[in-house]
Amino acid sequence: LESIYNAKTKKYQYVEMNYRAGTGQTPQMYLIDIRSRPLENGCSRPLLNKIEEELKQGNQVIIFQNRRGYSPTLMCSSCGWLAQCKHCDARLTVHSNPPQLHCHHCNYKQNIPSKCGSCQDTHLSPLGAGTERIEYGLKARFPETKVIRIDRDNIKKQSDMSQLIDEINQGDPCLLVGTQMLAKGHDFHNVTLVAIIDADASFFSSDFRAIERSAQQLIQVAGRTGRGDKPGTVLIQTRQPEHPLFEPILASDYSKVAELELEDRKYCDLPPFSKMLTIRAESDQQEESLSVLEQLKKDISAHLTSEQSVQISGPIEATIARKSGIYRSFLHFFISDTKRRSQVLHQIQPYLGKKLSNKVKLSIDIDPLDYI
């Protein structure tokens, strides 16, 4: 959105592509409300019926799920316990090949337990569906059809990817299950259906760019179908069919998404209508990092003038506060323009030079893209 804003304010030249190259057609997009539907390894019955229809016609289908592994977490059916990483404030992902629990943040791995870590009950169930589970379900449902999984667990090097792409481009009916690796830059002319398993994942993120990124991803994944002579269809499974994002998405109108999001950003005075600067604190002691940032906030606030138009947010913990045993906290500055941000940055640096704590590592991030 920052780039679109620069184009609207004539800093960039704005060029629109309103139609696809060659004979490609914009796909028809539909929602599947799964709030009251049972799911079979992540897939609803209407989706499975549509997949079957496309395979019978000799076509290829992409099933997109941006979660690798068998299931996002392991849960105790008796007490609700969830398997947590020892080193991160994150849940362990269930993998089936090999069978293990795996933290995708710090790479910690352990065997799948036979009983609950809280109440010792043995009724443990994988919760949700990752690419491994979807692959398993599709192989059981369509045993005569080749199922190809494309994610970081299955693709270890570029030659693996090249081999699979060559196989797909032969045009034989197949099911392609994958994460974002499957969404970008591929030109499969026999793909006539794209199924998006979980479109709601980022709707409730604390990242103010979540809706922007979600819309980009949905449109990008949808772009994998209808690229040849055959028309394409996109089915989006959601538990939030009334979400305002879907109306422009179903019309393949990203410009409308951008317009609505820019209105919200302006109302909240978020980038690109302000300039962002973040001080990061990292420590193996949670209270220490927050205490240092609190002291910094007091020192810096005392020397800022009202004319500098600065809003300070925090200190605040990261969404996943602890990663690999390190606690992360942020102090965010929202500043009216680039010139004033440079002035504030000049004022901040002396305070960062002070050793407020030997246990805390401080750093500055200008226009942070990852701050949660």
Side-chain angles (χ1 to χ4, degrees):
L1 291 186
E2 281 87 343
S3 295
I4 289 178
Y5 179 74
N6 283 333
K8 289 181 178 294
T9 55
K10 308 301 182 184
K11 291 181 181 179
Y12 296 168
Q13 183 180 359
Y14 192 57
V15 179
E16 283 191 278
M17 293 188 293
N18 295 314
Y19 54 89
R20 290 189 173 188
T23 58
Q25 303 172 41
T26 302
Q28 295 294 311
M29 304 177 71
Y30 305 95
L31 299 180
I32 298 177
D33 185 351
I34 58 173
R35 285 177 293 191
S36 58
R37 297 183 187 274
L39 300 180
E40 300 177 26
N41 296 301
C43 298
S44 63
R45 184 60 57 84
L47 175 56
L48 290 170
N49 291 341
K50 181 62 176 176
I51 290 173
E52 184 176 15
E53 179 184 324
E54 294 297 328
L55 292 175
K56 285 180 178 178
Q57 295 176 19
N59 298 323
Q60 297 174 336
V61 177
I62 286 177
I63 298 92
F64 175 80
Q65 170 65 308
N66 210 24
R67 288 180 179 272
R68 56 195 174 104
Y70 185 83
S71 175
T73 190
L74 187 69
M75 184 183 77
C76 174
S77 301
S78 296
C79 73
W81 169 85
L82 297 170
Q84 298 280 341
C85 177
K86 293 181 178 180
H87 312 290
C88 306
D89 292 335
R91 294 166 187 156
L92 294 169
T93 300
V94 182
H95 284 254
S96 62
N97 187 24
Q100 62 184 6
L101 298 179
H102 184 188
C103 177
H104 290 165
H105 299 285
C106 71
N107 209 34
Y108 168 76
K109 300 174 183 178
Q110 70 172 62
N111 294 329
I112 297 176
S114 58
K115 56 185 179 181
C116 172
S118 177
C119 70
Q120 309 304 309
D121 196 281
T122 57
H123 292 88
L124 303 179
S125 304
L127 192 65
T131 50
E132 281 186 5
R133 187 170 192 170
I134 295 167
E135 177 191 29
Y136 169 83
L138 292 173
K139 283 182 174 180
R141 177 66 183 262
F142 306 105
E144 304 301 320
T145 302
K146 187 172 186 62
V147 180
I148 299 173
R149 176 164 55 90
I150 297 179
D151 58 28
R152 278 192 291 166
D153 295 323
N154 206 34
I155 306 296
K156 302 299 184 183
K157 51 185 182 294
Q158 183 59 41
S159 59
D160 295 339
M161 189 69 175
S162 299
Q163 183 179 344
L164 287 178
I165 289 175
D166 290 342
E167 186 176 349
I168 295 165
N169 281 331
Q170 292 176 9
D172 296 332
C174 63
L175 297 170
L176 313 176
V177 180
T179 59
Q180 199 162 338
M181 291 180 69
L182 188 56
K184 293 187 174 182
H186 304 300
D187 189 27
F188 304 137
H189 282 212
N190 204 34
V191 170
T192 56
L193 174 64
V194 165
I196 298 170
I197 295 298
D198 180 11
D200 309 336
S202 62
F203 285 174
F204 306 104
S205 170
S206 58
D207 183 356
F208 68 83
R209 292 189 178 93
I211 296 297
E212 173 189 0
R213 289 171 173 163
S214 181
Q216 290 168 350
Q217 187 175 76
L218 288 173
I219 289 178
Q220 188 175 55
V221 176
R224 297 314 100 202
T225 185
R227 301 181 67 86
D229 297 329
K230 299 179 180 180
T233 302
V234 179
L235 297 181
I236 302 172
Q237 293 192 157
T238 176
R239 291 181 175 86
Q240 304 286 328
E242 69 285 347
H243 196 283
L245 173 66
F246 285 127
E247 184 176 348
I249 288 293
L250 295 179
S252 297
D253 186 3
Y254 182 75
S255 62
K256 184 63 176 178
V257 177
E259 178 186 332
L260 294 172
E261 279 299 293
L262 282 172
E263 287 177 6
D264 288 346
R265 299 270 187 96
K266 185 175 183 179
Y267 179 79
C268 298
D269 201 24
L270 291 168
F273 300 97
S274 64
K275 301 299 177 183
M276 196 171 174
L277 181 155
T278 293
I279 300 178
R280 300 171 181 265
E282 297 181 346
S283 174
D284 59 2
Q285 298 182 21
Q286 186 176 24
E287 292 303 320
E288 193 76 14
S289 63
L290 291 170
S291 175
V292 166
L293 288 183
E294 189 63 53
Q295 185 60 48
L296 272 174
K297 181 179 180 179
K298 290 179 182 178
D299 292 344
I300 294 168
S301 297
H303 289 82
L304 291 176
T305 62
S306 59
E307 292 78 18
Q308 288 178 299
S309 304
V310 179
Q311 296 183 42
I312 305 178
S313 175
I316 186 171
E317 293 181 345
T319 303
I320 301 177
R322 182 178 55 129
K323 277 189 179 182
S324 300
I326 300 298
Y327 291 93
R328 304 169 305 128
S329 303
F330 304 132
L331 192 61
H332 300 306
F333 295 77
F334 296 91
I335 307 168
S336 57
D337 56 56
T338 304
K339 181 179 178 180
R340 287 184 174 86
R341 183 172 64 185
S342 297
Q343 295 171 350
V344 172
L345 181 60
H346 181 72
Q347 290 177 287
I348 285 175
Q349 286 176 330
Y351 295 102
L352 296 184
K354 296 179 182 179
K355 271 294 182 182
L356 298 177
S357 172
N358 292 324
K359 300 175 182 178
V360 180
K361 176 185 175 182
L362 296 174
S363 60
I364 295 179
D365 195 348
I366 308 296
D367 292 327
L369 293 177
D370 176 20
Y371 64 93
I372 59 171

